[in-house]
Amino acid sequence: MKKFALLFGLLLSLNAFADKQDGVKVLTEEATEAQMQAVRDGAKGRCEDVDDDNKREACVADYYAQHNLEEEPSCD
């Protein structure tokens, strides 16, 4: 049972540290400006193909939330 708990914890930690599609890490409280910019760039790349402005803004907001970036979404 202990081995299962360790394996489960490891799998959760790997999933929490990077986006599976683009490898952008989830931000911690000590995030640098470069790490925050990586999240902004990741959101731009992920959501640039969304045609509707409202859906694009929602896409960016979701991406920011998934990566713990606490700022207003920008689609620029």
Side-chain angles (χ1 to χ4, degrees), residues 1-17:
M1 185 69 174
K2 188 175 181 179
K3 290 180 183 180
F4 177 73
L6 289 173
L7 179 60
F8 185 71
L10 178 63
L11 290 174
L12 282 178
S13 68
L14 291 174
N15 189 30
F17 291 120

Side-chain angles (χ1 to χ4, degrees), residues 3-76:
K3 290 180 183 180
F4 177 73
L6 289 173
L7 179 60
F8 185 71
L10 178 63
L11 290 174
L12 282 178
S13 68
L14 291 174
N15 189 30
F17 291 120
D19 185 281
K20 290 181 181 181
Q21 293 179 349
D22 59 15
V24 177
K25 292 185 178 184
V26 174
L27 299 177
T28 64
E29 288 187 27
E30 299 85 27
T32 65
E33 181 60 34
Q35 291 169 324
M36 290 188 285
Q37 187 61 46
V39 172
R40 292 181 198 110
D41 293 342
K44 184 177 180 180
R46 173 79 51 88
C47 303
E48 69 184 348
D49 293 335
V50 178
D51 293 330
D52 183 88
D53 288 340
N54 292 331
K55 289 181 181 179
R56 185 178 311 116
E57 186 172 342
C59 176
V60 171
D62 288 344
Y63 192 91
Y64 281 13
Q66 292 169 357
H67 290 82
N68 296 332
L69 181 59
E70 294 180 6
E71 63 183 41
E72 289 295 318
S74 173
C75 297
D76 298 331

